[in-house]
Structure formats: C-alpha cells, structure tokens
Amino acid sequence: MTIQSKLMVLIAVLVFAAASVFAETKEIKVKTNLHCGSCASKIEKGLKKTDGVIKSKANVETKVVTIKYDESVTDETKLTKRISDLGYNAELVKNSDDKCSTECKSTKTAGKDCCDTKATKSAPKK
C-alpha cells in the first residue's frame, strides 16, 4: 500500500468518525411485552440491524427497550414498527422519566403491580 492510499484510508476513517460524533442523536423508551432474556436479545439484535440505531438495551424486568438513534436516519415510528415486526408490542413511553404510562396510572391498579417494576412489586401492602 502506498503512502497516498494509506492517507486516503485514514481520511475516510476520520470522515466517518466525525459524522458519527456530530450525528443528531435521540433516545427513546418503548414499552413492550417481552418476557425473558431471549426476547430481549431478539429485540436488541433486531434493532442493531436497523439503520440509524446506535445502541439499544431491553430490560426484562420493566419490559422497556431504551433506544439511542441518529434522528437524521430513522425515527420513532420506524423503530416501534421494527419492534412490532419482530413480534412484540411496541408503545412509545411519552415521558422517559416515568416508569408507568399515563393509562396505567389512571387505573385502580396503579401503585400495585401495573407497571411490572421492582418498586411497585415490593411496595408494602395496605
């Protein structure tokens, strides 16, 4: 390899790295019906193959998938559709700080186990 071709490869790598650093990234949370580690792995691998996805993490306990993505390449609709195409429910969590959906909070089961979180499962019984 000549010095000129090595330089071209180096420039290409730097351009690619700079593009990924300056990409507009966004993070969303999606509530699913996954129930085991195999489900989580299937969703994470499926999302990894999706253009624009930088990172995804599925939590079996909360049934929430956290997705970091480049919003210049993909969007929330495409990502939730991808999860649906993998065979799972996919409901965008509107407020990422909120562990329960608004619908869940408004039901009589709110505060018990409606959200499948450790905090609600271990709450003291009245």
Side-chain angles (χ1 to χ4, degrees):
M1 217 174 179
T2 67
I3 291 187
Q4 192 175 26
S5 58
K6 287 180 182 179
L7 185 58
M8 293 301 288
V9 170
L10 178 62
I11 290 171
V13 169
L14 291 173
V15 167
F16 178 75
S20 64
V21 167
F22 295 110
E24 292 294 322
T25 60
K26 187 172 180 182
E27 184 174 283
I28 60 169
K29 294 184 185 282
V30 179
K31 184 80 171 174
T32 69
N33 61 331
L34 69 92
H35 62 275
C36 66
S38 181
C39 295
S41 179
K42 181 178 177 182
I43 291 171
E44 288 173 357
K45 286 178 182 177
L47 287 169
K48 186 176 183 178
K49 294 177 184 178
T50 305
D51 288 340
V53 173
I54 298 165
K55 183 179 178 182
S56 67
K57 181 66 179 161
N59 185 312
V60 176
E61 189 175 310
T62 62
K63 300 182 184 214
V64 171
V65 181
T66 303
I67 308 165
K68 185 175 181 181
Y69 66 97
D70 180 347
E71 63 183 339
S72 69
V73 178
T74 192
D75 60 34
E76 297 168 350
T77 304
K78 290 177 186 174
L79 296 172
T80 54
K81 183 177 181 329
R82 178 67 177 138
I83 293 171
S84 295
D85 291 347
L86 291 167
Y88 299 91
N89 296 339
E91 177 188 342
L92 189 64
V93 176
K94 297 295 182 189
N95 182 354
S96 61
D97 294 334
D98 193 0
K99 291 190 174 157
C100 297
S101 68
T102 304
E103 180 182 324
C104 177
K105 283 184 168 184
S106 67
T107 65
K108 290 181 181 179
T109 60
K112 292 184 182 170
D113 64 349
C114 71
C115 300
D116 294 324
T117 63
K118 186 183 265 185
T120 56
K121 285 182 180 178
S122 63
K125 295 181 181 179
K126 292 184 178 182

